[in-house]
Amino acid sequence: MLMSKQILTRRDALKAAGGTAGILGLAGCSGGSDGGSGDATESSGSTETSGSTGTTTSSSGEEVNAAFIYQAEVGDVGWDRAHEDARQIVTEEYDWLNTEFSEAVAPGDVQRVIEQYISSGMDVIFGTTFGYMDPMANMAPEYPDTIFEHCSGFRTEENMGRYYGRLYQARYLCGVAAGLLTETNQLGYVAAFPIPELIRQINAFVEGARSVNPDVTAEVRWTNAWVDPPAVTQAVNALTSNGADVINNHQTTTAATQTAAENEAWAFTYTTSMAEAGGDYYGNSAVFNWEEFYAPTLEAIHEGSWESDAYWDGLDAGVVGLGDWGPQVPDDVISEVETVQEELESGDRTVWQDTEFEGESDSFLFSEMQSYVEGVNGEVPSS
Amino acid sequence: MAGAGFFAGLANATVNASTVLILAGLGELISERAGVLNLGVEGMMLVGALTGFITTVVTGNYWLGLGVAILAGGAMSLIHAFLCISLNSDQAVSGIMLTLLGTGLTTFFGNSYSGNSVSGFPERTLPLIGDLLVEIPVLGPALFQSTVTDYAALLLVPVVWLFLYHTNIGLELISVGEDPETADTMGVDVFKMRYLAVIIGGALAGAAGAHLSLAFNQIWSASMTAGRGWIAVALVIFARWRPERILLGAYLFGLFNALQLYSQALDFSLGAGAPLAGVLNPVIDFVMNPTIMSTYPYLATLLVLVITVIRAENRELAQPSALVQSYSRETD
Amino acid sequence: MQVDVDLEARTDVPRWMAYGTPVFTVLAALSVSAVALAALDVDPIAAYEIMFVQTLTTEFGLTETVAKGVPLIFAGLAVYLPLKAQLWNIGAEGQLFIGAVAGTWIGLNVSLPILALLPLMFLGAGLAGALWVAIPAWLRAKWGINEIITTLLFTFVAADLKNYVVRGPMQAPGANFPQTAQLPAAGQLPVIPGIGFPSGIVIAVVFVALTYLLVNHTRLGYEITFIGANDRAAEQAGMSKYRIYLFVLMVGGAFAGFAGISEISGVQTRLRAFFAPGYGFTAIPIALLGRNGAFRVLLAALFFSVIFVGGSSLQTLLSVPAAIVDIIQALIILFLITAEFFKRYRVSLSLGRDLSDEPRGTRPEGEV
């Protein structure tokens, strides 16, 4: 029921979910003999009627039918928007590709939606939020002819892949720009919930800034909501009145960008461009270019060469990157960032070098980072 | 760390957070004083926020935007009024339906506007003495460097107080919420009075929404009210149905809201050597946890309820006696 | 000359109206929604065929309807029973959260065979839900404080508490996105072998039957209904309003707790931080639609389940935006409460009769 979304935060979960991720299995434990699968096979005997019809694994030359499932309504900004933009790009690109999407699908409902898509002939299901992981992993063994691709989780199966992007690398680039732009050497960061996904991005941003400007410190405000524009505005006011002159944002609204610009602070953000809201103070946005994943994946499915894997790529694959620069960002800042980007892509530089997290495993980075790097004031809240 | 700048910031954030609560709270108060509970505040605020925003995007005139938001909130509440007053429907059900409808409609029609910005109400100082007032330490900038809607909300508190207690219409409105039969006998048009109250309530909720989308945030974002409509409902109870206490309550709730953000800069935990640090620090962590802090407005309201009923000899809650009771004249 | 609308409370609702109104209501709501659908270039007939016919005639649709119906039935009962005593449990959603938290905690921390663990989880969830509504119930019973407002306030507190424990004490280690660990197999409601329906439906039907017996065939049920119809007369007859109010609200809270754990145990298998299915609110129109009997609550819950399941089919099959489905749902509630009026009042229009010189007002007894 829609109201619940508003007052009781079903919506809070929305974008969020996708933005965050689990643990383990980064190495891609395919062919899973996961404990949950056995139960699931049993528990959905009733659905077999719908499963078998119309489903064929695509091989070369056949059409591919792909369904995308989002947890939120697709608005003009945010996590689901980025996936939806990519869906439209690939749909446009390939004449052998048909796509459908469903929005505002809660994790408790996703199994039904997937079953319906499969029975209507979908070959591949893209589920774009963390909460879909269990249902998808449980269903995959029952529908071996369907390909499942889950974004932001950690479970894989023989016919279920996992994909995600290293957005923190793009945050690092924003940090480089911020370190060069700041005059007060104080950065502000508005974030939703203190979970590893967000902490990783904050740390990368601050590391980027300190790589070009060691005097930089940063302050974080947690708003405890994925969408709460008034709270974001309050948080930005608190940060700028404390002296921050660059603001970065992790909430699915343009409020932070807008308020930063009003307070004459540079505004950086994520997932989609918010240039209009930032005006002359707009810096840039760390964006997902999901088409860089969807296109090759769909091509592989089209050619019949798809295999399950755990995809976690970054700048070098183009799946994450920067958007367009704001109109007033100086050229020397842009060129410095471009140099750093080349170094990151070539491996000459890493985000975590010379930090306490240097040499940590992907699995640690993915799900266990629970503390700030040096330069961020205060401590991560306990829960 | 916690210097004058900190308190000035906190005061500013408190005042900022309170405007929307004052507007919506006063509206809900007027409606409830006439005996009609309206749980559709959140939905009406969203409709006000979106219609005001779209109007401003299209016409470039934020005054027109505010006007449309007020009308839209009023129109929305008319549904509630018709159902509850004319058709004697359940007020709780109708109100919740209104929130549902408002949320659905604004999510759908607002989709292509999320991400747009608008140039709305600017912050101004008052004419003549405004520049002086802003110089007042800590509270000056918070109170006297504001948007028109902020000033209007403050001004509405005494206006509503005067209206309710010192005008004939206001007294009739209150009498309708206390004892509709007697009011009817005395010649008060119960139906007309309740319609009036509900529509004023909706108009103010619409204005509260427009304050968010045109003055405070100047953006549209689906569900941008983020539950503030429900806090406004709690606020009316916290204020025990008195307009002057709405102001007090709105500041207190605003302070809770601001503290969630501002307390993050402070460390409240006791040093390792302090007595009972091991026991108290987890308690302090819990109490200061932002998620837990967001329950404070509701807990404060419940506390007021409990204290009031237990302490008062005559169990006087100040709740309008006929609240949530529909009224019909038996004509035969 | 003026137009007057005369209202006369019906003492006896005609039989055709009792059954016809819900049907008419839904048809009216669907007609209005058809306009919205047509505006989106969706053929309303095709849409409703998918929404209702396909949902009700395919094995898939029926199974899903039943699965979704289980928590809705419990939530519906949570509002229905207090409503029998003319109390509105608007906060069933909060009791549902607390029930889900308590039941999940037991499922994760107690090691027992399935036939012991599941009942214990339901017991814990029910108890937690009942305790969560105890304060509003006491405030209502003892002090007459409106339960609509207090149960609602407790819902918001419950939502934050649930988010807190799932992101803190109950969070599974290594789960980056806040959620509890998965319930063990012994803590998950199985499906009924052969039919494929979730076993939760059996428990739900049992409780519907128990509620029916309680309300219609026990002394206690008689008192509840009596107090709901006329609390003053009931008190004069020696019935304890205090006791009845506490009873109906707390048993309602327990039902809401059942709704929470049946969803976690039967569908989601773990509690996620932002779990908020909204069933506690859907329960309000369900109870309104089914107020005349526990079995009608069951039917009403299944009806809303069809709307949910069929509504999401609209999205997957016809690409109808999600918000439209929500709007259709709101319209059905809107028409529903409008129709309630015509069921309770006989309306006649008359011209030129001025009634203002004979002002007599009474509050209709038993109105809500």
Side-chain angles (χ1 to χ4, degrees), chain C residues 72-94:
Chain C
L72 285 175
I73 293 167
F74 282 126
L77 290 178
V79 182
Y80 164 78
L81 188 63
L83 193 54
K84 273 300 176 200
Q86 299 299 341
L87 297 180
W88 273 114
N89 181 14
I90 298 294
E93 182 84 352

Side-chain angles (χ1 to χ4, degrees), chain B residues 59-133:
Chain B
T59 66
N61 184 335
Y62 47 77
W63 287 103
L64 202 61
L66 178 64
V68 168
I70 288 172
L71 287 178
M76 190 94 175
S77 69
L78 200 58
I79 302 176
H80 188 63
F82 177 70
L83 289 172
C84 299
I85 302 167
S86 296
L87 300 193
N88 288 350
S89 299
D90 300 298
Q91 295 179 6
V93 182
S94 166
I96 283 180
M97 183 278 308
L98 217 58
T99 290
L100 187 75
L101 197 62
T103 313
L105 289 172
T106 54
T107 303
F108 182 64
F109 289 105
N111 219 337
S112 52
Y113 290 90
S114 60
N116 283 25
S117 304
V118 79
S119 152
F121 289 95
E123 291 198 334
R124 292 185 195 284
T125 54
L126 294 169
L128 299 177
I129 50 166
D131 293 339
L132 265 177
L133 292 171

Side-chain angles (χ1 to χ4, degrees), chain A residues 1 112, chain B residues 93 100, chain C residues 25-26 51-52 55-56 64-66 68-69 72-73 76 278-279 281-290 296-312 325-326 328-334 336-337:
Chain A
M1 205 162 178
R112 179 179 67 249
Chain B
V93 182
L100 187 75
Chain C
T25 307
V26 171
M51 201 162 170
F52 296 103
T55 306
L56 287 170
E64 293 298 330
T65 302
V66 169
K68 191 109 189 152
L72 285 175
I73 293 167
Y279 297 149
F281 293 105
T282 313
I284 296 163
I286 288 174
L288 194 67
L289 204 60
R296 291 196 201 173
V297 172
L298 177 104
L299 287 179
L302 290 175
F303 169 71
F304 271 89
S305 185
V306 168
I307 303 229
F308 281 130
V309 172
S312 85
V325 178
D326 292 313
I328 292 178
Q329 202 192 335
L331 282 172
I332 288 176
I333 304 171
L334 180 76
L336 191 71
I337 54 184

Side-chain angles (χ1 to χ4, degrees), chain B residues 25-58:
Chain B
L26 284 176
E28 179 67 12
L29 179 135
I30 291 172
S31 179
E32 290 189 22
R33 283 313 290 249
V36 184
L37 174 73
N38 189 347
L39 296 181
V41 188
E42 182 89 355
M44 298 187 300
M45 278 169 67
L46 282 169
V47 167
L50 180 64
T51 52
F53 189 81
I54 294 179
T55 307
T56 310
V57 167
V58 173

Side-chain angles (χ1 to χ4, degrees), chain C residues 20 55 58 67 136 198 259 265 268 336:
Chain C
T55 306
T58 61
S265 171
Q268 310 225 356
L336 191 71

Side-chain angles (χ1 to χ4, degrees), chain A residues 1-7 11 73-77 103 193 219-224 227-235 237-239 241-242 252-255 258-259 262 276-278 381-383, chain B residues 1 9 12-14 16-17 42 46 96 99-100 103-104 107 111-118 212 216-219 221-228 230 257-258 260-262 264-265 285 289-291:
Chain A
M1 205 162 178
L2 200 81
M3 188 181 71
S4 64
K5 243 174 283 173
Q6 312 319 321
I7 63 168
R11 192 184 169 91
E73 279 102 352
V74 178
D76 269 9
V77 292
E103 55 182 357
F193 290 96
E219 211 170 317
V220 184
R221 284 289 189 277
W222 300 100
T223 54
N224 282 289
V227 183
D228 187 341
V232 167
T233 294
Q234 297 272 41
N237 286 339
L239 291 164
S241 69
N242 256 2
T252 312
T253 152
T254 54
Q258 170 114 357
T259 311
E262 273 166 27
E276 194 209 319
S382 51
S383 86
Chain B
M1 173 99 222
N12 199 28
T14 302
N16 279 340
E42 182 89 355
L46 282 169
I96 283 180
T99 290
L100 187 75
T103 313
T107 303
N111 219 337
S112 52
Y113 290 90
S114 60
N116 283 25
S117 304
V118 79
L212 286 183
F216 191 63
N217 281 126
Q218 317 207 347
I219 58 168
S221 190
S223 12
M224 66 186 297
T225 47
R228 284 170 180 76
W230 299 105
N257 187 286
Q260 279 179 50
L261 295 165
Y262 278 77
Q264 291 175 27
D285 272 358
N289 181 285
T291 307

Side-chain angles (χ1 to χ4, degrees), chain A residues 7-299:
Chain A
I7 63 168
L8 298 175
T9 68
R10 183 166 121 208
R11 192 184 169 91
D12 288 358
L14 306 190
K15 317 278 160 105
T20 59
I23 181 182
L24 309 170
L26 274 172
C29 51
S30 20
S33 56
D34 187 282
S37 317
D39 299 337
T41 317
E42 195 180 276
S43 70
S44 54
S46 60
T47 58
E48 274 164 19
T49 44
S50 56
S52 51
T53 51
T55 315
T56 48
T57 308
S58 291
S59 56
S60 188
E62 283 182 42
E63 293 209 324
V64 173
N65 297 306
F68 293 71
I69 308 177
Y70 312 133
Q71 191 171 358
E73 279 102 352
V74 178
D76 269 9
V77 292
W79 172 261
D80 295 300
R81 179 81 249 166
H83 284 284
E84 174 59 12
D85 284 345
R87 180 188 74 86
Q88 290 177 6
I89 290 171
V90 291
T91 310
E92 191 83 358
E93 174 85 17
Y94 302 119
D95 53 8
W96 41 262
L97 177 67
N98 307 308
T99 60
E100 294 284 344
F101 76 96
S102 283
E103 55 182 357
V105 177
D109 292 321
V110 74
Q111 177 173 346
R112 179 179 67 249
V113 172
I114 292 174
E115 277 171 6
Q116 250 172 350
Y117 273 135
I118 292 175
S119 68
S120 70
M122 290 291 157
D123 306 301
V124 51
I125 307 287
F126 293 98
T128 64
T129 190
F130 181 78
Y132 298 166
M133 179 178 69
D134 291 334
M136 289 179 77
N138 291 341
M139 292 176 78
E142 294 165 47
Y143 297 102
D145 295 336
T146 304
I147 290 166
F148 293 76
E149 280 280 6
H150 177 249
C151 186
S152 80
F154 52 81
R155 285 174 73 174
T156 54
E157 298 285 335
E158 215 164 314
N159 57 331
M160 172 170 156
R162 190 292 307 266
Y163 61 105
Y164 204 44
R166 293 179 192 263
L167 195 70
Y168 69 90
Q169 295 179 340
R171 291 281 201 186
Y172 183 90
L173 295 178
C174 291
V176 171
L180 296 169
L181 288 168
T182 180
E183 285 169 14
T184 60
N185 289 335
Q186 279 180 274
L187 313 181
Y189 205 112
V190 182
F193 290 96
I195 55 180
E197 169 69 22
L198 274 66
I199 294 166
R200 184 171 70 240
Q201 295 185 30
I202 291 167
N203 283 341
F205 175 69
V206 176
E207 277 308 313
R210 287 168 69 90
S211 74
V212 292
N213 183 349
D215 296 331
V216 162
T217 60
E219 211 170 317
V220 184
R221 284 289 189 277
W222 300 100
T223 54
N224 282 289
W226 294 108
V227 183
D228 187 341
V232 167
T233 294
Q234 297 272 41
V236 172
N237 286 339
L239 291 164
T240 54
S241 69
N242 256 2
D245 63 350
V246 182
I247 297 294
N248 207 338
N249 161 56
H250 201 130
Q251 232 207 47
T252 312
T253 152
T254 54
T257 309
Q258 170 114 357
T259 311
E262 273 166 27
N263 296 353
E264 304 185 349
W266 290 100
F268 288 83
T269 185
Y270 80 126
T271 65
T272 44
S273 171
M274 299 183 186
E276 194 209 319
D280 283 350
Y281 285 93
Y282 184 66
N284 208 328
S285 177
V287 297
F288 285 110
N289 304 309
W290 289 116
E291 62 275 13
E292 300 295 338
F293 166 78
Y294 288 134
T297 303
L298 287 162
E299 274 179 17

